[in-house]
Amino acid sequence: GGPYGSAVATDVQTGKTLWSFVPNLGLDRYSQRAAHQASTNRGLGIDESNVYITGGCSVFGVDRKTGKQQWRTEVCDSTGNYGSNSAPRVGAGKVFVGINNMQSGTGRGYAMALDANTGKELWRFYTVPGDPSKPFENKQMEMAAKTWGPDYWTDVRGGGSGSVWEGMIYDQKTDLLIFG
C-alpha cells in the first residue's frame, strides 16, 4: 500500500508491474489534518478476490488480478480530524478498519466492519462513550461514561486513547476482532 490509497501489484518472478491503483480521494474537501492522515498507509488487506486499501476516509476494494476498483466506502468525516491509515484486516467475509481522530480530542475513534464483497458497513464499535446529553449506544457505553469523569465530553472526547490505530487481529476460531 502507498500514500493516498494507492497500491501496485508486481509479478514476483519478472519484477513487471501488473497494475497500479491510484484513487482520486477528493482531497480538496479534506481538512488539513485529514489530508495529512491520508498521506500515510501502513499496509493492505487481501483475500482470494480483492485487495483492500485505506486512503484517508475511504476504504477501497480492488480486484487483486486486474487492479480495478470494485467498491469504495467512506468510513469517516474527511472534513474533520479523522482518518484511517492502518492496514485493513480481513476475515469471515469482512474487512475491518480502525478510525482515529489523530489525537485531536475532537471526536471518537472506532473500529468497523465492512462486507468484503460490497463495502457495505456491517457494524461500528466506538471505543469511548459519546455525548452524555444523547442516549448511549448500549449499556456498556453508559457504564464506561461514569469512569471518565464529569467533563470527559467537553474536555477530551477520547483524545488519542479513543483512536483505533493499528494492531487489530481477526481471530477466526472465536470470530472476534481484537484490538487495543
Side-chain angles (χ1 to χ4, degrees):
Y4 302 106
S6 63
V8 176
T10 305
D11 185 309
V12 294
Q13 293 179 337
T14 66
K16 178 184 172 195
T17 298
L18 301 174
W19 54 258
S20 177
F21 177 76
V22 181
N24 178 357
L25 294 180
L27 291 175
D28 56 324
R29 63 185 169 88
Y30 274 51
S31 72
Q32 183 177 6
R33 290 186 87 168
H36 173 72
Q37 180 80 336
S39 71
T40 306
N41 181 299
R42 293 184 171 104
L44 306 169
I46 191 167
D47 65 14
E48 303 79 26
S49 303
N50 291 321
V51 173
Y52 304 98
I53 309 159
T54 57
C57 279
S58 297
V59 176
F60 300 91
V62 176
D63 184 283
R64 69 182 269 179
K65 292 181 182 172
T66 66
K68 301 277 188 242
Q69 181 178 316
Q70 302 300 304
W71 52 262
R72 175 183 184 162
T73 300
E74 297 298 309
V75 293
C76 56
D77 178 7
S78 62
T79 63
N81 294 324
Y82 282 104
S84 179
N85 60 10
S86 60
R89 303 303 198 259
V90 182
K94 298 174 185 72
V95 179
F96 304 101
V97 293
I99 309 302
N100 66 71
N101 66 18
M102 296 172 260
Q103 299 180 350
S104 65
T106 59
R108 299 163 72 196
Y110 50 94
M112 61 190 305
L114 308 173
D115 182 284
N117 293 318
T118 65
K120 179 181 183 245
E121 183 176 329
L122 300 174
W123 55 256
R124 181 179 296 208
F125 176 82
Y126 288 97
T127 57
V128 297
D131 184 344
S133 70
K134 298 178 182 173
F136 292 102
E137 291 89 3
N138 52 51
K139 291 286 183 196
Q140 293 82 0
M141 284 296 162
E142 185 175 1
M143 287 178 5
K146 294 174 187 169
T147 70
W148 280 73
D151 301 319
Y152 76 89
W153 188 250
T154 56
D155 288 352
V156 293
R157 296 191 198 187
S161 64
S163 294
V164 180
W165 289 95
E166 188 61 26
M168 298 180 294
I169 295 174
Y170 171 72
D171 179 28
Q172 59 188 36
K173 207 175 225 182
T174 60
D175 193 32
L176 293 173
L177 178 68
I178 302 164
F179 61 94

